[in-house]
Amino acid sequence: MGCRVGFVSLGCAKNQVDSETMLAVLVKAGCEITTDIGDCDVAVVNTCGFIESAKTEAIENIAEIELLKDEGKVRGIVVTGCLAERYKEEIEKSFPKVSAFLGCGSCDKIAEAVKAAYDGKHYADFADVEKGCMDMDRILSTPPYTAYIKIADGCDNRCAYCAIPYIRGNFRSRTMENIVAEAERLAENGVRELNVIAQDTTRYGTDIYGKPSLDKLLTKLCRIEKLDWIRVLYCYPDELTDELIDVIAREDKIVKYIDLPIQHGSDKILKKMNRRGSAEHIRSVLTKIREKIPDVTIRSTVIVGFPGEGEKEFEELCEMIDFAKFEKLGVFTYSREEGTPAYKMRPQVDEDIKLMRQENIMMHQADISLAVNEKKLGKTVKVLVEGFDRYAESWFGRSEADAPDIDGKVFFTCEKKPVVGSFIDVTVTDVLDYDLIGEAKE
């Protein structure tokens, strides 16, 4: 096709994998990819439409590119992803300067959409989200030493606050053979850290193998010789089986890191959220994990300000966090999303109260995180080298306790220039709330 395509990918890592799929389609079609949106023929915005802040970010990005089109710097615009899928009835009216629109099931049509946008023609494709785009080639947008691998798409959990099932469809797994084959290709091309993702990784295999099969998949992935780290994200407490915990504990290549969103600590709110399991069950799962994997890092997320959350329920959430002492924690304010059961729930919590509760927990979490880091003083950690920070005047990377993009860093000095993408041992000499500081061992 011969046109220059600028790509903006918003939202989560799962959306990023879709962007990488579309990049591969475009390159195969003869397009040149650029990161400079101000110097391209066609701009593609792969949007997130999960919560209000994500929708606002997507709309702002599209509006900025529309201005570039007015100035003659961009010839055509394509909008794809979750925002387009969720609002497919309204989106074309909202963005009259956008030529082409694709839903989440139409990644394979990106070349046609780009060509239409380049030619100034209207194009729209909203294929069945449950029928494609999972087993396609990709061009990585991550650094070459790390990659995400999406093992499933869609979701069956139907949490009361979440629009994902209405956007992405029902949960559906990829076959182990396809996942392992992709992982082997990634490893052959230099990927050393593989981050396993899905809307719910712990549900993997239930639809095609009749039972949870993440433990078996991980065992197969651990046999790939050139992989060093395998990280599991987006687990659910009620589906974290003993077999899965045992595999994570047993296999050296699986980093001792579990991403376990609990969302709340009050039985009343968990029930209103349509989350399976009780606060007591969450406590028992956390206890079991720490017993079987003593050095584990547990990351979680919680939502404050869900409808009906009063002082009592908020206090129960705080008590859960005190009990859990999560090494990593994200705290989100409830986003009222149309089309979800929680949208009509009463009473809705005032925005100021949500923000106050969020700040309260994050201040407390900073203390927990600092205490966790202080225990690492004098210890040696294995670090995946990511680059040099000229402001800090030191190298930086991540330990196995730090997932890409969402967790902290390890900053370190080194007598010899390390190779980006390699592993190096670092002795921790100082700590911050969320980061470590150290010296590389030669």
Side-chain angles (χ1 to χ4, degrees):
M1 191 170 10
C3 70
R4 287 169 58 82
V5 180
F7 221 99
V8 178
S9 185
L10 305 174
C12 66
K14 298 176 287 292
N15 210 40
Q16 185 175 348
V17 171
D18 289 348
S19 293
E20 293 171 346
T21 296
M22 287 186 276
L23 288 174
V25 174
L26 289 170
V27 169
K28 188 174 181 180
C31 295
E32 179 186 348
I33 306 300
T34 176
T35 56
D36 186 356
I37 296 298
D39 183 29
C40 67
D41 298 312
V42 177
V44 178
V45 186
N46 188 18
T47 61
C48 177
F50 177 42
I51 56 177
E52 192 61 37
S53 59
K55 288 184 283 187
T56 299
E57 182 185 23
I59 291 167
E60 288 174 350
N61 271 270
I62 298 167
E64 288 176 8
I65 296 172
E66 286 183 323
L67 289 176
L68 293 176
K69 186 176 182 182
D70 289 341
E71 295 169 2
K73 295 179 180 179
V74 172
R75 184 165 174 167
I77 307 171
V78 179
V79 172
T80 183
C82 290
L83 186 76
E85 181 68 41
R86 186 174 180 183
Y87 298 105
K88 53 179 168 280
E89 305 300 331
E90 304 96 340
I91 194 163
E92 293 186 40
K93 296 177 183 176
S94 301
F95 303 108
K97 296 174 186 176
V98 176
S99 305
F101 300 88
L102 296 179
C104 294
S106 300
C107 295
D108 57 333
K109 302 296 185 185
I110 185 64
E112 289 89 338
V114 165
K115 186 177 187 308
Y118 182 82
D119 293 337
K121 297 178 180 178
H122 174 267
Y123 185 92
D125 192 286
F126 292 92
D128 187 340
V129 293
E130 297 185 10
K131 289 189 176 178
C133 299
M134 281 212 297
D135 293 311
M136 297 173 62
D137 291 337
R138 294 159 54 196
I139 292 179
L140 295 186
S141 58
T142 52
Y145 51 81
T146 185
Y148 296 100
I149 189 163
K150 186 157 63 170
I151 63 173
D153 208 342
C155 190
D156 291 342
N157 290 319
R158 299 299 193 274
C159 298
Y161 50 81
C162 183
I164 291 297
Y166 313 110
I167 300 171
R168 291 279 181 172
N170 293 321
F171 185 86
R172 53 208 182 275
S173 304
R174 297 174 61 191
T175 66
M176 285 192 203
E177 291 76 14
N178 284 344
I179 296 167
V180 172
E182 181 181 6
E184 288 173 341
R185 290 194 299 272
L186 291 169
E188 285 297 322
N189 289 326
V191 169
R192 304 189 70 178
E193 177 191 42
L194 192 67
N195 301 284
V196 177
I197 59 172
Q199 303 296 342
D200 176 359
T201 52
T202 38
R203 187 179 284 266
Y204 173 76
T206 53
D207 53 329
I208 54 178
Y209 301 118
K211 60 181 179 179
S213 303
L214 182 58
D215 58 317
K216 295 179 177 60
L217 173 62
L218 291 175
T219 301
K220 290 179 180 290
L221 292 175
C222 287
R223 303 289 86 83
I224 299 175
E225 185 177 347
K226 292 185 178 180
L227 288 178
D228 291 273
W229 282 356
I230 298 171
R231 188 183 304 276
V232 184
L233 303 173
Y234 306 111
C235 300
Y236 273 61
D238 62 297
E239 294 178 353
L240 200 71
T241 63
D242 289 346
E243 292 83 0
L244 178 55
I245 296 173
D246 289 342
V247 165
I248 295 172
R250 181 178 70 241
E251 295 287 352
D252 291 337
K253 290 193 176 188
I254 303 178
V255 298
K256 308 317 172 200
Y257 178 110
I258 297 178
D259 176 32
L260 195 75
I262 65 166
Q263 307 305 13
H264 216 278
S266 161
D267 283 339
K268 171 188 168 182
I269 300 300
L270 287 168
K271 186 174 181 180
K272 291 189 71 175
M273 286 179 165
N274 199 33
R275 299 281 294 185
R276 296 183 301 276
S278 63
E280 184 56 37
H281 177 70
I282 292 172
R283 286 186 171 86
S284 68
V285 169
L286 292 170
T287 300
K288 184 183 294 184
I289 292 171
R290 295 201 185 277
E291 286 175 349
K292 291 193 173 186
I293 316 173
D295 295 327
V296 71
T297 293
I298 304 179
R299 159 169 276 282
S300 193
T301 58
V302 297
I303 297 171
V304 295
F306 188 81
E309 182 192 73
E311 290 299 326
K312 177 177 180 293
E313 291 76 26
F314 178 65
E315 183 60 33
E316 289 172 338
L317 172 58
C318 293
E319 289 171 0
M320 174 66 79
I321 293 169
D322 277 336
F323 170 84
K325 290 186 169 52
F326 297 113
E327 285 78 8
K328 316 283 183 178
L329 181 67
V331 184
F332 298 91
T333 58
Y334 165 70
S335 178
R336 190 181 182 192
E337 296 300 315
E338 63 268 33
T340 65
Y343 184 82
K344 296 181 180 179
M345 288 184 181
R346 297 289 187 273
Q348 295 284 331
V349 178
D350 184 81
E351 289 297 326
D352 289 340
I353 293 176
K354 293 179 190 178
L355 292 171
M356 181 178 66
R357 290 174 179 173
Q358 180 187 44
E359 182 178 3
N360 182 310
I361 292 179
M362 286 310 300
M363 288 177 63
H364 183 49
Q365 180 60 29
D367 293 336
I368 293 174
S369 180
L370 181 60
V372 168
N373 283 349
E374 285 176 341
K375 291 179 181 179
K376 297 178 181 178
L377 281 168
K379 295 184 178 180
T380 299
V381 295
K382 183 179 179 181
V383 173
L384 176 57
V385 181
E386 294 192 299
F388 185 81
D389 188 320
R390 61 189 180 92
Y391 296 106
E393 297 185 335
S394 71
W395 293 90
F396 66 91
R398 289 181 289 107
S399 72
E400 71 171 46
D402 303 299
D405 300 324
I406 55 174
D407 292 326
K409 302 284 187 183
V410 180
F411 295 90
F412 62 92
T413 56
C414 192
E415 290 186 9
K416 296 180 181 178
K417 181 179 178 180
V419 177
V420 172
S422 68
F423 290 90
I424 192 167
D425 288 332
V426 174
T427 300
V428 179
T429 59
D430 200 0
V431 299
L432 303 172
D433 287 353
Y434 301 107
D435 301 315
L436 302 178
I437 300 171
E439 298 174 354
K441 295 178 68 176
E442 301 298 329

